[in-house]
Amino acid sequence: MDYPDHLIPKPDYQIINDTTLIRAHCLQRSTKNTAILNPETGKIKAEYIAFQRDHLRDLSTNLIGVFKTEDRFWRMVGDRKARYTELWHEGEKVAPPTKEDWVYNEQFGAIYFPIDELLNMTVPYTRGNDQEQKTVQCKVLHTPVRSNFWHCSIRWFNENGDIIDQKGKWSKRMLSTARSMLVELGRLEPDFEEEVAELIYKTT
Amino acid sequence: MDLPPTGEESITSTITSEEQTRYAFSNTLYYNRYAVEQKEDIIRYDAKLQLQRQFDRLMNRLQDEWQTYREHFSGVTLREVQEVASNLAATLLHTSPNKIALELTTDATVFFTCMYLGMNAYVEVHFEPGEEPEVVVNAYEDKKSVYAYGGTLTESLQSFYSFLNNR
């Protein structure tokens, strides 16, 4: 078994800067196992959205299409893990990972988020006695890494920019909105699995 | 020959339908004064018991999850979390959600999911040592945000109540 070639970025690929072009597609978020739903509500468990502190600010996902649902089982390990999970730069040629670089683990579950629904979600905030109002907006960024061209990040912005650079109460509100939105929109199956059109990610 | 009565002879009613209504059991003084009150008491008692059970379930969940998540609540005690979460749970239960659940998160928060008819609300309390907890409420209807608010416990609950009343 070899590491799938369709995951490796190629020199003639380009970063998808306009993610509205892929709004019909879904993002996949891997989970530690398949016990994803809260039995009391039937909704996604909050801990399956982000299982480590601060993960929510920059949520790692995969763009479903060329990346197939079962591709989540490939995991980078070993001495070269850091290199293979670093961001890929346009034009860079990547040597395929060898057997020492990966494991295939079928225990992982997955949650899916339709990009269209994420991009459509805008949340204006009000506060009783305070006239200040801010709007939380979800953005999907294509952030390919050397072992996976289809890696994307879900990020959150308001009038002051990216939540990553913010602290304090507004940051907490954005985090809560992010978590609630992902619980609300998350599902167990992708709605759309067609391949991403080549003209979107190939330079020629 | 006269036979003893069998008890099956037909009895012709001389009471009109209007009188039947007037004399219906549910119109008696007894029924109005005692039976209805008793029935209402039973309904009220059942509802209270149901709320108590749901409340206990949420608080037990908090206690169970604390073992796993306590390291993320550094500088915050279980008692502080319980105090805020219990106030929130009791108030949210009185908004009559169809389903309600509580979870702790690695971001030192308590996260409530409340499902109403046609709407889901998520209430999250952020804890930080020495600071008043921040309560953020988000509600969605048909995959659209219909309500978002952040503030103190009292501010957020008042605002959410008012939103539900005007819905």
Side-chain angles (χ1 to χ4, degrees):
Chain A
M1 193 151 83
D2 293 323
Y3 191 81
D5 185 57
H6 62 270
L7 301 188
I8 307 287
K10 307 290 187 299
D12 63 337
Y13 285 8
Q14 61 185 352
I15 292 171
I16 306 166
N17 290 314
D18 181 4
T19 50
T20 60
L21 296 173
I22 47 168
R23 63 187 315 148
H25 292 264
C26 281
L27 296 177
Q28 179 199 65
R29 168 88 179 150
S30 295
T31 60
K32 58 184 176 182
N33 55 41
T34 52
I36 295 162
L37 297 182
N38 186 327
E40 286 156 4
T41 59
K43 301 295 287 181
I44 308 280
K45 288 180 194 163
E47 68 163 304
Y48 279 66
I49 299 290
F51 50 89
Q52 278 181 22
R53 195 178 182 91
D54 289 339
H55 262 190
L56 203 52
R57 294 167 188 270
D58 181 0
L59 207 65
S60 209
T61 60
N62 304 306
L63 173 64
I64 292 294
V66 178
F67 185 104
K68 304 298 175 197
T69 57
E70 61 275 15
D71 285 332
R72 70 180 183 275
F73 300 139
W74 298 94
R75 295 281 151 155
M76 304 315 294
V77 292
D79 296 342
R80 289 188 290 185
K81 178 183 173 181
R83 174 164 175 73
Y84 275 114
T85 52
E86 277 172 7
L87 288 175
W88 171 80
H89 301 287
E90 282 182 334
E92 185 183 353
K93 190 175 179 186
V94 178
T98 60
K99 286 221 168 192
E100 292 73 42
D101 298 319
W102 54 262
V103 289
Y104 191 78
N105 187 339
E106 289 180 275
Q107 74 165 20
F108 296 111
I111 312 168
Y112 299 88
F113 307 105
I115 294 176
D116 194 39
E117 289 178 14
L118 289 172
L119 297 181
N120 277 345
M121 196 71 95
T122 302
V123 183
Y125 266 93
T126 53
R127 193 183 160 109
N129 303 324
D130 198 336
Q131 292 305 307
E132 192 177 12
Q133 179 170 331
K134 285 188 177 158
T135 305
V136 181
Q137 175 81 54
C138 174
K139 287 191 182 176
V140 174
L141 305 182
H142 181 215
T143 49
V145 295
R146 292 195 177 102
S147 56
N148 179 15
F149 178 73
W150 308 105
H151 182 266
C152 289
S153 301
I154 299 179
R155 303 269 277 272
W156 311 91
F157 293 75
N158 64 8
E159 286 77 355
N160 296 343
D162 196 330
I163 191 176
I164 284 180
D165 307 319
Q166 298 178 44
K167 285 186 176 170
K169 289 189 162 53
W170 282 111
S171 154
K172 290 190 174 101
R173 285 172 212 168
M174 282 171 78
L175 274 179
S176 287
T177 297
R179 198 188 316 278
S180 66
M181 202 186 283
L182 294 171
V183 170
E184 179 70 7
L185 299 181
R187 57 206 65 184
L188 299 182
E189 299 288 337
D191 297 341
F192 185 82
E193 293 182 74
E194 297 294 312
E195 294 210 347
V196 177
E198 284 192 357
L199 60 93
I200 294 175
Y201 65 92
K202 277 194 169 177
T203 51
T204 49
Chain B
M1 180 182 167
D2 285 337
L3 296 172
T6 61
E8 292 174 358
E9 295 84 355
S10 66
I11 299 167
T12 308
S13 173
T14 55
I15 302 173
T16 64
S17 60
E18 190 189 340
E19 284 170 329
Q20 273 178 355
T21 309
R22 196 186 312 152
Y23 299 125
F25 176 66
S26 59
N27 278 344
T28 61
L29 192 62
Y30 164 80
Y31 185 88
N32 283 328
R33 186 166 293 173
Y34 301 105
V36 171
E37 278 179 15
Q38 201 173 28
K39 194 176 162 192
E40 280 180 357
D41 280 349
I42 291 168
I43 291 170
R44 218 175 286 150
Y45 177 76
D46 276 353
K48 201 176 155 191
L49 202 64
Q50 182 71 12
L51 283 179
Q52 184 65 50
R53 280 192 192 127
Q54 286 182 297
F55 180 82
D56 291 345
R57 178 175 57 80
L58 294 173
M59 289 302 101
N60 288 339
R61 169 76 63 195
L62 170 59
Q63 186 106 26
D64 291 347
E65 293 210 346
W66 181 256
Q67 304 309 320
T68 312
Y69 288 89
R70 62 188 305 169
E71 63 179 285
H72 301 287
F73 285 77
S74 129
V76 180
T77 64
L78 173 61
R79 207 189 183 115
E80 287 173 285
V81 176
Q82 280 172 322
E83 195 179 322
V84 178
S86 61
N87 276 316
L88 207 43
T91 312
L92 290 174
L93 282 169
H94 278 92
T95 63
S96 306
N98 295 335
K99 290 176 182 175
I100 182 167
L102 174 155
E103 291 173 75
L104 300 189
T105 77
T106 51
D107 290 302
T109 69
V110 178
F111 186 81
F112 286 91
T113 301
C114 301
M115 300 177 76
Y116 303 90
L117 194 64
M119 186 187 83
N120 297 327
Y122 303 92
V123 182
E124 186 163 17
V125 199
H126 295 257
F127 290 90
E128 231 170 271
E131 280 193 17
E132 190 170 5
E134 175 85 357
V135 179
V136 185
V137 189
N138 282 277
Y140 301 91
E141 233 177 82
D142 197 23
K143 296 183 177 61
K144 293 273 179 287
S145 168
V146 290
Y147 174 80
Y149 187 92
T152 63
L153 178 67
T154 314
E155 285 171 341
S156 295
L157 286 178
Q158 276 175 356
S159 169
F160 186 49
Y161 247 75
S162 147
F163 163 74
L164 288 177
N165 284 335
N166 295 327
R167 195 174 156 234

